[in-house]
Amino acid sequence: MVPKETELFGCFPQVATVFVDQTLSVSVPVVVELGEYTTGENVGIEAKAAVEQVTIKGPKSVLDAIDHAKVKTGKLGEVKASFESNLDYEFYDKQGVKIESHHIITPEKNVLVHFAVIKTKTVPLTLQTKNGFWNEKDMRYTISPKSITVKGEPAAIDALESVPALILDEKTVDTTRFTATLTGDKIPLPEGVSLGETLGDIKVTLDILNNGSKTIKMKLNSGHVAVTPPEKALNYSFNITSLSFKIRGGYENLRNATADDFYLNIDLSDVLEKHVQSG
């Protein structure tokens, strides 16, 4: 159709194609394809996009074919430290075929990608004690597996010489033989360090070579008992004349231990304060 009092002599092109389809909005996952790079020994790179998905709009026939958005990093050269970079992405189907269409509308043209320099190392598994009751000569233990692979920033990994499979609270062990089965996700790892492999159960067997127990009976008198506040500030009495308790430790220490080595401290300050307040 032309304006009134005008005449059409010709046009190019003579045929126009109109694209008609249902418009959709979908979210597709973002994957990162690492290009070539060089690093130090036992060092690699983990690349991850800052967003897991991008939302796109376009014709249903085009969007139905898109499986994911891919970021290609290209050649990175020598990488010595972690870094970030904004990189373009493209769309691909499930077979890895690139999908191109000027009808696809994207909210942004690129995404932020985090490049983490990761070093791996195999370190032995050990057993540590929480309170220091026993030293190395008092314990004989086996751990299976004997070592694990860990990963993290190079500085954190270089500083790591071993990893405790278990930090044992000696107060919970009342025997000369201790066994435990642990799961790999319970291993206490330093901050910035994670497992570099999938672990099954970890088995720990401990023989305590210098650990015994002894029951001691102590008289409840002024020679073995200290009360806070001082005795003159509060009247008190015991309904028993002695107290028996069990101790654990090295055989020589147990053999020499007597009631004279122990003292019972009783703090009654709270009882006295409540009595004064209520009066």
Side-chain angles (χ1 to χ4, degrees), residues 273-279:
E273 288 174 2
K274 289 183 178 180
H275 176 73
V276 171
Q277 292 173 0
S278 64

Side-chain angles (χ1 to χ4, degrees), residues 92-109:
Y92 290 81
D93 64 14
K94 291 182 178 180
Q95 285 70 43
V97 178
K98 184 179 177 180
I99 297 177
E100 294 182 281
S101 173
H102 63 274
H103 297 295
I104 301 174
I105 301 173
T106 61
E108 60 276 317
K109 298 300 181 182

Side-chain angles (χ1 to χ4, degrees), residues 214 216-217 245 247 253-262:
K214 181 178 182 179
I216 293 179
K217 186 175 183 180
F245 54 91
I247 62 173
N253 292 333
L254 290 176
R255 186 166 51 249
N256 297 328
T258 67
D260 293 334
D261 298 316
F262 298 90

Side-chain angles (χ1 to χ4, degrees), residues 165 180-188 195 199-203:
T181 300
L182 315 168
T183 56
D185 58 352
K186 299 298 182 182
I187 292 179
L195 288 174
L199 286 179
D201 289 342
I202 299 172
K203 296 183 179 180

Side-chain angles (χ1 to χ4, degrees), residues 5-273:
E5 298 181 356
T6 61
E7 184 179 355
L8 178 66
F9 282 95
C11 67
F12 183 82
Q14 294 183 344
V15 178
T17 300
V18 179
F19 190 87
V20 180
D21 200 346
Q22 180 183 357
T23 300
L24 295 179
S25 176
V26 299
S27 295
V28 295
V30 179
V31 299
V32 180
E33 182 180 285
L34 270 172
E36 296 179 6
Y37 64 88
T38 58
T39 59
E41 186 178 0
N42 297 324
V43 178
I45 300 177
E46 290 184 357
K48 184 178 181 181
V51 294
E52 294 183 355
Q53 297 180 325
V54 291
T55 301
I56 56 178
K57 295 181 180 180
K60 182 178 185 300
S61 58
V62 177
L63 268 56
D64 281 349
I66 296 176
D67 180 69
H68 60 275
K70 181 187 292 185
V71 179
K72 293 185 177 181
T73 68
K75 293 183 178 181
L76 299 175
E78 184 179 8
V79 179
K80 296 181 179 180
S82 299
F83 66 99
E84 296 178 343
S85 181
N86 285 299
L87 297 173
D88 296 336
Y89 56 86
E90 299 171 328
F91 299 105
Y92 290 81
D93 64 14
K94 291 182 178 180
Q95 285 70 43
V97 178
K98 184 179 177 180
I99 297 177
E100 294 182 281
S101 173
H102 63 274
H103 297 295
I104 301 174
I105 301 173
T106 61
E108 60 276 317
K109 298 300 181 182
N110 52 56
V111 296
L112 181 66
V113 178
H114 303 282
F115 294 87
V117 176
I118 301 297
K119 186 171 185 177
T120 60
K121 184 179 181 180
T122 299
V123 295
L125 285 172
T126 62
L127 184 146
Q128 294 182 6
T129 56
K130 182 178 180 180
N131 305 291
F133 287 2
W134 310 307
N135 55 37
E136 286 293 330
K137 68 179 182 180
D138 297 326
M139 300 184 296
R140 182 173 60 234
Y141 62 83
T142 58
I143 301 176
S144 179
K146 294 182 178 181
S147 60
I148 60 170
T149 300
V150 292
K151 64 179 182 178
E153 288 284 347
I157 296 300
D158 289 341
L160 195 64
E161 297 299 329
S162 64
V163 170
L166 174 67
I167 299 177
L168 181 67
D169 185 350
E170 304 97 309
K171 295 179 181 179
T172 64
V173 181
D174 193 18
T175 179
T176 57
R177 187 173 179 83
F178 173 86
T179 59
T181 300
L182 315 168
T183 56
D185 58 352
K186 299 298 182 182
I187 292 179
L189 294 172
E191 185 177 354
V193 177
S194 60
L195 288 174
E197 61 180 321
T198 301
L199 286 179
D201 289 342
I202 299 172
K203 296 183 179 180
V204 179
T205 300
L206 167 67
D207 288 313
I208 306 167
L209 309 179
N210 187 23
N211 179 50
S213 62
K214 181 178 182 179
T215 300
I216 293 179
K217 186 175 183 180
M218 182 177 69
K219 293 182 178 180
L220 296 178
N221 54 42
S222 59
H224 292 109
V225 178
V227 177
T228 303
E231 297 180 22
K232 293 182 180 180
L234 183 68
N235 293 323
Y236 67 92
S237 62
F238 297 106
N239 59 3
I240 56 175
T241 59
S242 63
L243 176 69
S244 295
F245 54 91
K246 189 177 184 180
I247 62 173
R248 288 189 297 111
Y251 297 130
E252 183 177 353
N253 292 333
L254 290 176
R255 186 166 51 249
N256 297 328
T258 67
D260 293 334
D261 298 316
F262 298 90
Y263 216 69
L264 180 62
N265 294 293
I266 304 174
D267 190 348
L268 299 177
S269 300
D270 189 51
V271 176
L272 181 61
E273 288 174 2

